Amino acid sequence: MTAELVRGQNHPLPHTRLEIRVSAGKPVVAGAALADENGRVPGIEWVAHPAQPALPGVEVSRQATADHRLGVDLSAVPPAAHRVTVLLALPPGPAVPTRFGAVAAPFVAVVDPQGTEIASYTITGLDTESAVVAMELYRRQGAWKVRAIGQGYAGGLVDLLADQGLDDPGLLATTIHETVAPGLARTVGTPPPRTSEVRHGAPAAATGTAAGDTTPGTAAGAPTPPQGVHGTPVGGPVPADTPADGIPGPQSETHAQDRTHEGPVNYTHPRRQSTAPPPPPPAAPPAAPGRPPTPVAGDATGWSMEERLYNQVWGMFEDLARTAAAYRSAVDFAESRLDQELDRALSDPRSRIAGSGDTAREAARAKHDRLTEQAREVLDRDLAQLAAESDVVEPALPPAFARWDNPVWHAYRVPMEIPMALRLGDLHLPESPDLRIPMLIRLPLERGLWVDSGRGTSDAASTMDEGQVRGLAMDTAVAHAARLLAVYPAGEFSVHVIDPAGSAAAALAPLVHSGVLDEPPAAGAQGVSAVLGKLTQRVDLVQMAVRGGAADALPPDLDTAEQLLIVNDFPHGFDDRAVTQLRYLADEGPAVGVHLLMVADREDAGAYGPVLDPLWRSLLRVTPVPDDHLADPWVQHSWTYEPPRVPPGSQVLQQVLTQVAEARRNWRR
């Protein structure tokens, strides 16, 4: 499965022989630089470019084209090379764009020898830049990884090469441009999209699936800007697959006569997106000089308002991560500088004369306070802007992205299409606990969920007894299940429940009384065995049908809807066979539409030892109380997760489930 990276995100590389594919829509120059462990390129002989296309382990194109395929053999690069950096630049010339902001967002993918994408990255957010560091392959502890960079340079190739540590970047940039100039003059640009109606046979749309985990997420579908987030969540947002309007599809010979009347031939692949998503709609009037812009809901790229809001939420997550990281870095710098100046003052013999040491210490502390205050002012400014944007975005979110207290739920109707993502809760940082960013994960789910019912190390859980935490955990699981039922069309999502001892009857009441469950919660060893056996058989049948290309051979009574299994109080009531089946569902189920939502305390399953470690790792852990267990590998933050909460006394959950149950009954008639 392709890892769709966001800026700063990394991903392990399982192969050393790779191909890097670049698609830019317009001719670009592609190159690769070999750097040492400090990220510095020792000399021009370490740069593969059109005038020197081959280096040990790296080979690039000799011309500027819209599509490139760079060959990489990481086992053949010199031992001193610890990084392979992919460079892109717009060539100078007539009728050639001078900035990346005027062309489609470049797309870069790392592909294995069989042609399967390992990781991809869409470089968004470029404007005046004419050169960009797209991504880098780097060696860490003997293993190779890929990281999305997306660093642009308005000064062009010269500034990019200078930033790589080269002594004479201008000479190399001139050599590269002179090499590609003859071929550029012969390059035929991609024909413009047709304005006439799409012919019969053109693809109407392309669809796909996706942190997200965070993280954020990451996700399947079209190439994405800064996982989760696929990351998920974390890192940029992930756009959905989009229509390829205006791109002709395959034609039969009977249409040959029509081609002469439809303008120039479009040579682009019918399923390749060659245009960037449309820009956001016109925003509010420009802000006065010196004042921040007025936030607008949907102020992000995307093909639909849902995708724009999704991308905007991811942008808010990234902005908060960056500004908090900058603040922490500034404070660390101020403290480090204070320590250095105090050490210097104490080590100077003159500081013992006439109180000059006290003066030096006071000056050092004053400088530290001034630097810290400046950093806090910048942080407060950014937080205020993000808070203003959150105040605008939250009311505009669709039900799948909205909190339970959002008025959008009062106008809820069962949807006709599956949304691109789902809100699992909120995220915040210690610098601004009141600023909460929605935690969105792509749909369909790529991994199951685990609501941890243990007390753990959370401060909130330490004030509760064990029974309270377990009750909140089951309430959280029901809220997640209700939201999943609410955002799927009628008949496309089913929920099963295993409650061996019947201890969750009160928490499960909204699901049971509304009628959204096809069967009552399974209790006892026999009930556990029956439900697990049924879902295991479904996974086996669908897997065989998919692998054999015989999806139409599935039994007519097989429920093809997505399945969610809520498991309470694990491992009580589970024998060894049931545990094995549960592990099988966690590993193989998501690929064929069977997902787990486990409510369990890991300590209760301690008797199984490491046998269950793969089970816990395969599930996304969330908590019923606020807990800072979500790690951000991008900027090393620990994000506090806030579970979804239905407002006390609100009937919104029951009203939504009643509508879902009614829609399911009508669908079956």
Side-chain angles (χ1 to χ4, degrees):
M1 183 172 295
T2 305
E4 298 182 354
L5 305 180
V6 300
R7 182 173 298 170
Q9 187 179 3
N10 60 48
H11 186 75
L13 294 173
H15 305 278
T16 56
R17 294 184 63 87
L18 304 165
E19 184 178 75
I20 299 176
R21 298 179 180 178
V22 179
S23 179
K26 294 290 184 179
V28 297
V29 177
L34 303 180
D36 58 21
E37 58 185 357
N38 297 318
R40 186 179 182 277
V41 179
I44 60 174
E45 66 276 5
W46 287 55
V47 181
H49 53 83
Q52 179 182 271
L55 292 179
V58 180
E59 186 172 359
V60 303
S61 174
R62 297 176 179 269
Q63 296 184 356
T65 64
D67 297 287
H68 290 268
R69 295 196 174 191
L70 285 64
V72 177
D73 185 355
L74 297 174
S75 62
V77 300
H82 289 258
R83 300 186 188 181
V84 180
T85 306
V86 180
L87 318 173
L88 304 178
L90 292 170
V96 176
T98 58
R99 60 188 184 91
F100 276 110
V103 301
F107 172 66
V108 186
V110 181
V111 181
D112 67 12
Q114 289 73 40
T116 303
E117 284 189 9
I118 300 172
S120 64
Y121 174 44
T122 300
I123 311 172
T124 58
L126 299 178
D127 187 11
T128 60
E129 298 88 345
S130 58
V132 61
V133 175
M135 59 171 50
E136 66 177 7
L137 315 181
Y138 65 99
R139 186 176 3 219
R140 180 68 54 84
Q141 296 179 349
W144 285 90
K145 296 183 178 182
V146 57
R147 177 186 288 120
I149 303 296
Q151 176 63 53
Y153 296 83
L157 192 55
V158 175
D159 283 4
L160 184 154
L161 295 173
D163 199 35
Q164 299 297 309
L166 295 176
D167 294 331
D168 193 358
L171 177 61
L172 179 56
T174 301
T175 302
I176 293 173
H177 290 322
E178 290 177 350
T179 302
V180 302
L184 185 65
R186 299 190 298 269
T187 300
V188 179
T190 303
R194 295 184 180 147
T195 57
S196 59
E197 205 170 294
V198 180
R199 295 196 306 255
H200 174 72
T207 57
T209 61
D213 214 344
T214 91
T215 201
T218 86
T224 62
Q227 57 146 62
V229 322
H230 90 82
T232 318
V234 317
V238 184
D241 279 352
T242 53
D245 295 336
I247 298 179
Q251 296 295 304
S252 64
E253 293 299 324
T254 58
H255 294 283
Q257 297 177 351
D258 297 337
R259 296 193 182 104
T260 60
H261 303 289
E262 294 179 334
V265 177
N266 190 336
Y267 291 99
T268 56
H269 191 282
R271 291 188 180 274
R272 177 173 295 155
Q273 177 181 325
S274 59
T275 58
R291 296 184 62 85
T294 303
V296 177
D299 187 16
T301 59
W303 295 95
S304 65
M305 189 60 176
E306 180 191 41
E307 185 180 355
R308 288 170 177 165
L309 288 169
Y310 177 83
N311 290 342
Q312 188 171 13
V313 167
W314 268 106
M316 293 165 60
F317 173 84
E318 291 177 349
D319 290 344
L320 179 56
R322 276 192 292 262
T323 191
Y327 170 72
R328 295 178 185 181
S329 177
V331 171
D332 290 343
F333 171 76
E335 292 178 350
S336 174
R337 185 167 181 171
L338 173 63
D339 292 340
Q340 293 176 4
E341 293 184 355
L342 291 177
D343 290 342
R344 191 180 306 117
L346 291 174
S347 62
D348 188 353
R350 292 173 297 179
S351 64
R352 305 186 183 93
I353 303 173
S356 59
D358 295 337
T359 303
R361 285 191 289 271
E362 291 176 1
R365 292 192 179 94
K367 187 180 298 182
H368 166 270
D369 294 342
R370 186 169 61 254
L371 291 173
T372 304
E373 289 173 3
Q374 291 175 351
R376 187 70 208 191
E377 288 176 1
V378 174
L379 175 67
D380 290 342
R381 180 201 64 199
D382 293 343
L383 292 179
Q385 179 66 14
L386 283 170
E389 186 174 10
S390 178
D391 291 341
V392 173
V393 170
E394 278 287 355
L397 295 177
F401 300 175
R403 290 195 297 252
W404 285 113
D405 60 356
N406 193 311
V408 71
W409 287 106
H410 296 292
Y412 168 77
R413 294 293 182 271
V414 178
M416 301 297 292
E417 296 181 352
I418 302 173
M420 64 185 300
L422 180 84
R423 186 172 190 157
L424 270 189
D426 295 333
L427 300 172
H428 65 82
L429 291 173
E431 285 78 6
S432 181
D434 294 331
L435 177 58
R436 287 168 165 75
I437 306 297
M439 179 180 174
L440 305 179
I441 60 170
R442 291 296 295 266
L443 291 179
L445 298 173
E446 290 193 348
R447 59 193 299 198
L449 302 176
W450 165 31
V451 182
D452 191 351
S453 60
R455 298 178 66 181
T457 59
S458 170
D459 293 337
S462 63
T463 61
M464 304 178 183
D465 60 36
E466 184 177 338
Q468 288 177 305
V469 177
R470 290 182 184 274
L472 282 176
M474 198 62 205
D475 290 339
T476 302
V478 170
H480 288 317
R483 184 180 289 266
L484 282 163
L485 283 165
V487 302
Y488 270 80
E492 295 194 22
F493 198 87
S494 298
V495 175
H496 309 267
V497 180
I498 290 179
D499 186 19
S503 59
L508 292 170
L511 298 178
V512 175
H513 296 162
S514 62
V516 295
L517 299 180
D518 294 334
E519 300 174 349
Q526 186 175 359
V528 172
S529 177
V531 173
L532 291 177
K534 178 181 177 181
L535 292 178
T536 302
Q537 182 185 40
R538 182 193 184 279
V539 171
D540 290 339
L541 290 174
V542 175
Q543 280 187 338
M544 288 188 293
V546 171
R547 292 169 181 169
D552 55 347
L554 289 170
D557 59 342
L558 183 75
D559 185 2
T560 58
E562 297 275 322
Q563 310 286 315
L564 178 71
L565 173 60
I566 303 176
V567 179
N568 180 44
D569 214 15
F570 176 82
H572 303 300
F574 286 75
D575 56 19
D576 291 344
R577 175 180 172 81
V579 170
T580 301
Q581 289 177 318
L582 201 64
R583 286 186 54 187
Y584 176 72
L585 293 178
D587 293 337
E588 304 294 334
V592 291
V594 177
H595 314 283
L596 289 184
L597 201 172
M598 291 187 58
V599 181
D601 181 358
R602 189 168 182 173
E603 293 183 1
D604 292 344
Y608 287 93
V611 174
L612 289 182
D613 286 350
L615 174 64
W616 306 119
R617 287 196 297 267
S618 67
L619 304 174
L620 172 61
R621 176 178 175 253
V622 294
T623 54
V625 294
D627 187 55
D628 59 350
H629 67 281
L630 291 177
D632 179 357
W634 183 30
V635 286
Q636 312 304 321
H637 291 333
S638 292
W639 292 81
T640 298
Y641 168 78
E642 292 269 358
R645 286 280 182 266
V646 179
S650 174
Q651 297 297 315
V652 62
L653 189 66
Q654 193 63 43
Q655 293 170 1
V656 169
L657 290 176
T658 299
Q659 290 195 43
V660 171
E662 179 64 25
R664 288 167 62 88
R665 286 191 292 268
N666 294 335
W667 176 78
R668 288 183 177 135
R669 291 176 183 171

